[in-house]
Amino acid sequence: MSIVKFTVSGIYSSALSKLLLDRGYQPTKLSNTLVERLGGQGAGKDEPDVVIKDMSRWQGVIVIGDQAKTVADTIVQELGTVAQFYLPKVYGAVFKPSIVERIRNGIILELEDRRGLLKTRGDNVGLVQVTGYARSVSKLLVTPAVRVRFGGAEAERTGRLIEDPPLPSGWRWRRRGSDEENTEVASKANDLEEMLTSPEIPDGRCVLPGKDYVELVFGLEAKELLDVWRSKVTPTIHGHHYLKSLGPEYSALVYFAEAVRDRIEDKLDEYLKDTVVKGVYPRSGEEVKIFHMKPDGNDVELSSGYVLHSDENTIIVKRTMKSRGEYDGIEAERRIGDYAITEFKLNEWYYVTTYFRRDGAEIGKYANICTPPEASKVFIRYIDLFVDVVKSRGEVRIVDREQLEEAIHKGYITQTMYKKAVDTADKLSRELKSEKE
């Protein structure tokens, strides 16, 4: 079997390029900085089998390519605390879509066993191509600007009345290659147009498979291991990837700390801890969002709240209920004016929320099992591990255990995360049962 070639960019690039190089993968088309850090490795211009890039909020990476799952599994094996969301043969796939419903900013499409989102104000939908995945709405992102590539040749479906033979009507060349490559691209484009109009191919069917697509969401402990890998090729502070993942506004802090690292190494951790508490964590009275990242690709943003307390170990947030409904797990009515007090312990694999009526009467407690929370000035986020512990009307229950079992069965989480979730749920159950009413 030939060596898998990869290219990588983004905030995790130094660590991942070193990790994968040491595990037998071959880097290619790397930046000059990475080539220098790897001692000249990665300077080649061969096309990569796998492309690795940051996720939109820097909480992890996207791995794309025919060997993406192999590379992703290697990363997960090394880092442990990583949620993995895998979509085979979907990136770049072309579909003859079926319209499900029209929404304010686009159209929801049926794409075989998944739903897609096409952002458009128009009504006509022809072929669409997958460009990514939106965790916030749990849908594939698609575009009508379908592209077909072979070797150095590439053509694009424009939807306009143009002629550019031997391409079918409505297509144009983005880049010409050899005669053989041009012929192959034109043949694929003509095949796609025939499938679009063929009554034998039902709407919603994939007409051209894509490449494997994997999202790896890094927990706090995985980011700390990435710090170690990066330190093998360039000076790296503890917390490098955690801070960089909070957003570009923290890059200057990391750059400065690593620039002066050798001069104040004995005091650096102390200075950094003080800086993070005062300048990175939210302060009392400030509003924060809470991002609930689920390993199955479905992220949830909880209602924002206001910070009551913040120090290096704990952040306490108050949220007020603005709608009626029911509290999940607690099985109690949610009323307008109820409030929740959530205590995030930044080094623990859980956090506890206590719900109260407007008059201060306690409704119940909900302990969410998750990776250690990560905090910035404006948000707190974590990877949810499905299983939770609930205390309501004096009864303590472990809930959603079947979802945890499904997650490990489907490969969304690692064995390390599974065992930690089970042990933490059992420990919290015992602690909540021992509490005095």
Side-chain angles (χ1 to χ4, degrees):
M1 183 177 179
S2 60
I3 297 176
V4 176
K5 300 182 180 70
F6 72 92
T7 190
V8 57
S9 61
I11 67 172
Y12 303 101
S13 57
S14 293
L16 290 178
S17 58
K18 176 59 175 171
L19 185 159
L20 292 173
L21 178 62
D22 283 6
R23 294 298 173 265
Y25 296 92
Q26 182 179 332
T28 183
K29 287 191 170 182
L30 298 185
S31 68
N32 292 336
T33 299
L34 283 178
V35 171
E36 182 180 347
R37 288 175 179 172
L38 295 176
Q41 296 275 3
K45 300 301 179 184
D46 292 344
E47 287 298 316
D49 302 302
V50 171
V51 174
I52 306 171
K53 59 184 180 179
D54 289 345
M55 295 178 67
S56 60
R57 289 177 175 166
W58 304 283
Q59 67 266 50
V61 295
I62 298 169
V63 188
I64 300 169
D66 293 333
Q67 297 292 326
K69 188 66 167 63
T70 301
V71 172
D73 286 344
T74 299
I75 295 172
V76 171
Q77 185 178 9
E78 290 294 331
L79 301 181
T81 311
V82 182
Q84 180 176 184
F85 179 58
Y86 171 45
L87 295 172
K89 307 300 180 187
V90 74
Y91 186 84
V94 179
F95 287 85
K96 179 182 178 180
S98 172
I99 296 177
V100 176
E101 65 174 311
R102 301 180 190 278
I103 57 177
R104 183 168 56 87
N105 64 338
I107 302 174
I108 304 298
L109 304 172
E110 180 181 334
L111 308 174
E112 292 194 347
D113 60 343
R114 290 199 169 270
R115 295 290 171 91
L117 172 61
L118 173 62
K119 294 184 178 180
T120 179
R121 294 182 179 178
D123 292 325
N124 295 325
V125 180
L127 296 171
V128 296
Q129 189 167 37
V130 177
T131 60
Y133 180 81
R135 298 178 68 89
S136 59
V137 293
S138 303
K139 290 179 177 61
L140 298 171
L141 296 175
V142 299
T143 177
V146 174
R147 295 181 182 181
V148 174
R149 179 181 178 185
F150 183 78
E154 184 177 26
E156 178 182 45
R157 190 175 193 267
T158 67
R160 300 194 300 270
L161 295 176
I162 59 174
E163 300 292 336
D164 198 353
L167 295 173
S169 178
W171 287 72
R172 69 180 179 90
W173 290 105
R174 290 182 55 85
R175 186 172 61 249
R176 291 180 183 269
S178 67
D179 289 344
E180 180 184 355
E181 291 168 342
N182 294 341
T183 299
E184 181 66 23
V185 167
S187 176
K188 286 185 177 181
N190 280 288
D191 288 346
L192 289 176
E193 291 299 325
E194 289 181 9
M195 286 187 278
L196 175 63
T197 57
S198 172
E200 297 180 3
I201 299 178
D203 292 346
R205 183 67 58 84
C206 178
V207 294
L208 182 66
K211 296 182 181 298
D212 287 355
Y213 176 96
V214 187
E215 289 185 350
L216 299 180
V217 182
F218 299 139
L220 182 60
E221 292 183 3
K223 292 186 175 82
E224 291 173 347
L225 286 175
L226 286 165
D227 291 346
V228 175
W229 277 102
R230 187 179 187 275
S231 69
K232 297 175 185 290
V233 295
T234 189
T236 302
I237 61 169
H238 177 74
H240 173 101
H241 292 97
Y242 160 63
L243 290 169
K244 296 270 279 193
S245 73
L246 300 180
E249 60 268 33
Y250 298 101
S251 293
L253 168 63
V254 175
Y255 176 81
F256 176 76
E258 289 175 346
V260 302
R261 176 175 176 267
D262 292 338
R263 301 182 187 180
I264 58 169
E265 189 164 8
D266 57 334
K267 291 282 188 180
L268 184 59
D269 284 346
E270 179 184 337
Y271 292 157
L272 267 179
K273 182 180 292 185
D274 188 56
T275 301
V276 167
V277 172
K278 293 180 179 178
V280 176
Y281 291 171
R283 297 181 182 181
S284 295
E286 292 182 334
E287 185 177 11
V288 291
K289 296 179 179 180
I290 301 172
F291 292 124
H292 187 84
M293 299 183 296
K294 298 182 77 68
D296 61 2
N298 179 25
D299 287 357
V300 178
E301 182 179 334
L302 305 183
S303 59
S304 29
Y306 290 89
V307 177
L308 301 180
H309 171 83
S310 177
D311 61 36
E312 64 182 89
N313 298 312
T314 306
I315 297 175
I316 300 176
V317 176
K318 179 179 180 180
R319 294 181 294 129
T320 302
M321 306 303 143
K322 299 178 181 179
S323 64
R324 294 180 175 87
E326 184 172 324
Y327 292 110
D328 183 36
I330 294 177
E331 298 177 353
E333 179 189 5
R334 185 178 70 237
R335 303 172 186 170
I336 296 174
D338 289 351
Y339 62 93
I341 304 295
T342 302
E343 183 175 358
F344 293 97
K345 295 186 177 181
L346 300 179
N347 294 311
E348 299 288 351
W349 284 68
Y350 70 92
Y351 66 85
V352 178
T353 299
T354 307
Y355 293 93
F356 298 91
R357 296 295 184 203
R358 187 194 297 264
D359 62 5
E362 183 176 316
I363 304 169
K365 293 184 177 181
Y366 199 103
N368 189 283
I369 313 302
C370 59
T371 58
E374 302 171 43
S376 80
K377 203 72 173 170
V378 294
F379 67 77
I380 298 171
R381 71 182 177 201
Y382 49 84
I383 302 173
D384 176 61
L385 295 178
F386 298 104
V387 66
D388 302 304
V389 183
V390 176
K391 184 174 184 179
S392 177
R393 296 186 288 275
E395 180 187 0
V396 176
R397 294 176 293 117
I398 296 177
V399 298
D400 298 334
R401 178 68 180 262
E402 70 283 356
Q403 293 184 27
L404 176 67
E405 299 296 337
E406 182 180 4
I408 186 67
H409 176 71
K410 291 187 174 181
Y412 293 147
I413 61 175
T414 62
Q415 192 66 38
T416 298
M417 299 165 81
Y418 172 83
K419 186 176 187 307
K420 194 70 176 181
V422 171
D423 291 347
T424 302
D426 289 341
K427 171 177 171 289
L428 282 175
S429 178
R430 292 192 297 270
E431 290 179 357
L432 289 175
K433 286 178 180 178
S434 68
E435 283 185 348
K436 293 182 179 180
E437 295 294 329

